[in-house]
Each structure stands twice: as C-alpha cells, then as structure tokens.
Amino acid sequence: AMSVALYIVCERDIDGFDPFVNGKAVGHADEEALEAICVELGVPPLMAFYSENPDVLAEFLDEELEDEAPSRDELPAEEWFSAADGLVTVEALAGHLQAHPAALPDTVAIVEDLREYAQVLTRLKKEKVRWHFAMDF
C-alpha cells in the first residue's frame, strides 16, 4: 500500500524553524472516522485544511493518470488557512482521542501526530504565517 502522510506546508519559511511532522499515523487513519469525530465536536475536519500546489499535483497526476490527467489550469488554486483555525481542530481531535483511546486503531500514534501539528501551528500563529495540509504519497 502507499505510505501516505499528511504534512504541513507553510506559506513562507520561518528562519531556523522546521515544520516537519511525521504525519503517517494520521495519513493512514480512517479519514471518514476522523471526520465524523470532528463533526461531533463541532470543528472543521482535518481535510478542510487540505490543499495542494497545482504544479506539484499536476506532476503527480501526470505520472499516475498519463493521458487522463487534468491540465494544470483545471486544478484548484493553492489555498492558505489561518493557524488559529487549524489549532482548534487538531487540539479538539487530540483531546477527544486521548479521552477515547478505543475510538480508532493506533490512537496513540494519531494523537502524537496531532500534538506535533499543534506545536507547529502554535508557532505559525505566533509568526502570523498561513498554512495548509498536503499529502505525501
């Protein structure tokens, strides 16, 4: 199976700061289950913060789909989100999963990723840098 990770892309670099989070536990988690929990908690789902750079996406789709691939112009523009908004979701989700470890398989690893996202987003909020999630395939 593909190893999928959900990672954070910053709109601009912060000197000496690496926004890397492994993100594999979240990438492998049941997206619908995570979304259902977010809906229950009244926060936007993680994938509400997902966006790709159209150039990167076009390249990936060309390799995967060849002739069927959409042109770069047909792809959505890259979107940026406020770190404060992202924090609301990752913190609510982390808190819920920590309180309900049986909610999903691999909850401990998922919470670890969420806490790391929260650390990165806390820094981005302080520096007023916007962000989005992207997929590493």
Side-chain angles (χ1 to χ4, degrees):
M2 288 195 304
S3 173
V4 177
L6 197 62
Y7 67 98
I8 289 177
V9 178
C10 307
E11 192 171 19
R12 62 178 171 82
D13 291 336
I14 297 168
D15 279 347
F17 178 67
D18 180 6
F20 177 79
V21 174
N22 182 299
K24 277 191 183 160
V26 168
H28 286 280
D30 180 338
E31 194 192 310
E32 284 177 17
L34 285 176
E35 185 162 343
I37 293 168
C38 289
V39 168
E40 191 185 316
L41 297 171
V43 297
L46 294 173
M47 295 309 279
F49 301 104
Y50 172 75
S51 178
E52 290 283 359
N53 175 319
D55 297 325
V56 174
L57 191 57
E59 203 173 298
F60 172 75
L61 293 173
D62 278 343
E63 285 168 24
E64 292 293 308
L65 303 172
E66 293 168 359
D67 303 341
E68 320 270 297
S71 76
R72 190 205 173 287
D73 303 336
E74 294 173 69
L75 297 170
E78 195 166 12
E79 283 186 84
W80 300 101
F81 305 100
S82 119
D85 291 348
L87 267 171
V88 171
T89 289
V90 297
E91 289 181 336
L93 201 47
H96 178 88
L97 291 174
Q98 207 156 13
H100 305 86
L104 291 168
D106 212 14
T107 311
V108 174
I110 293 170
V111 169
E112 218 166 280
D113 276 352
L114 292 167
R115 298 262 177 242
E116 287 184 32
Y117 294 146
Q119 284 174 338
V120 173
L121 291 171
T122 299
R123 178 68 189 267
L124 297 186
K125 180 180 167 181
K126 195 177 139 200
E127 307 274 353
K128 301 185 170 52
V129 174
R130 296 189 305 165
W131 71 292
H132 64 69
F133 278 129
M135 281 281 188
D136 189 6
F137 298 100

